[in-house]
Amino acid sequence: MSKAIQTVIDGIFKIFETVMVICIATMLVMVFGNVMLRIFFNTGIDLSEEIPRFAFVWMTFIGAIVGMRKHAHLGVDVITQLLPLAGKKVCWGISQFIMAVCCGYIVYGTWLQHEILEGNASPVAQISMIWVFGVSYLTGTFIGIMCLFNLYRLLTGQVDESQLSDVMEEGMSEIDDLNAQVTK
């Protein structure tokens, strides 16, 4: 992949990570502020019921995209680790294909619901619900593209055995780096 394209992709994911930070900050400030208002002044902000919930939806869906790129999703690879290289490639290809199909269904399902969501407004903020749940267009599209790109890489022989497990064990990358340095 060219350096310019990689720079654009990195920029897009920085934007996603920034949106996630904004979402969590919004949730923190609005919920904490509303609790303090209720405790000390026996009042509250009505928007503090809806906006944090909407921010949570966005943070979750965008976090799924970022998690897919960083291989941070939960997974079980006990059986696939026992398979030979060809078996690992077949299983990984099947999983990428299934995820791409599911992403297609997510986008298609959102498209089917688009008119209904667009016509419904949230009770307090009066925001069209497509602004809340329309994030599934983004998630389905981005994860689907990543899965299709992974399938392309698999079919063209650009996938190493180390990449065939989408499970990143916490702290294991540091151990792998140390092992690589020791074996040099």
Side-chain angles (χ1 to χ4, degrees):
M1 192 177 316
S2 75
K3 194 170 186 173
I5 293 173
Q6 189 61 45
T7 303
V8 169
I9 291 170
D10 290 343
I12 290 169
F13 278 89
K14 279 290 182 200
I15 291 170
F16 286 162
E17 291 170 358
T18 303
V19 169
M20 289 171 48
V21 168
I22 291 168
C23 287
I24 202 161
T26 300
M27 290 187 305
L28 176 74
V29 168
M30 292 196 84
V31 170
F32 180 76
N34 205 35
V35 167
M36 292 298 111
L37 285 172
R38 290 194 189 281
I39 289 173
F40 294 113
F41 300 106
N42 201 25
T43 186
I45 302 169
D46 292 336
L47 284 177
S48 289
E49 300 289 328
E50 284 184 351
I51 300 301
R53 190 174 4 160
F54 299 161
F56 184 73
V57 170
W58 271 75
M59 186 184 67
T60 303
F61 275 76
I62 291 175
I65 300 170
V66 173
M68 179 71 180
R69 183 176 193 221
K70 293 184 176 185
H71 306 288
H73 287 284
L74 293 175
V76 178
D77 62 349
V78 173
I79 295 173
T80 56
Q81 292 299 323
L82 300 174
L83 296 174
L85 180 60
K88 289 178 184 178
K89 286 184 176 184
V90 168
C91 287
W92 192 73
I94 290 170
S95 72
Q96 294 297 315
F97 177 76
I98 290 171
M99 285 190 290
V101 169
C102 289
C103 287
Y105 278 121
I106 289 171
V107 172
Y108 179 65
T110 307
W111 176 257
L112 292 176
Q113 293 290 315
H114 183 95
E115 202 171 303
I116 295 168
L117 293 170
E118 192 175 41
N120 286 337
S122 63
V124 177
Q126 292 299 304
I127 297 171
S128 174
M129 295 308 284
I130 195 63
W131 287 105
V132 179
F133 299 113
V135 69
S136 55
Y137 280 132
L138 193 67
T139 301
T141 301
F142 271 87
I143 293 178
I145 289 170
M146 284 187 264
C147 291
L148 292 175
F149 183 69
N150 285 340
L151 284 172
Y152 168 77
R153 288 179 39 239
L154 179 68
L155 294 174
T156 57
Q158 300 174 22
V159 178
D160 296 331
E161 185 175 3
S162 64
Q163 297 171 326
L164 293 175
S165 178
D166 283 334
V167 180
M168 279 291 226
E169 297 176 16
E170 194 172 324
M172 294 305 289
S173 62
E174 291 85 7
I175 292 173
D176 292 339
D177 292 341
L178 287 173
N179 284 336
Q181 289 176 356
V182 169
T183 57
K184 283 185 180 178

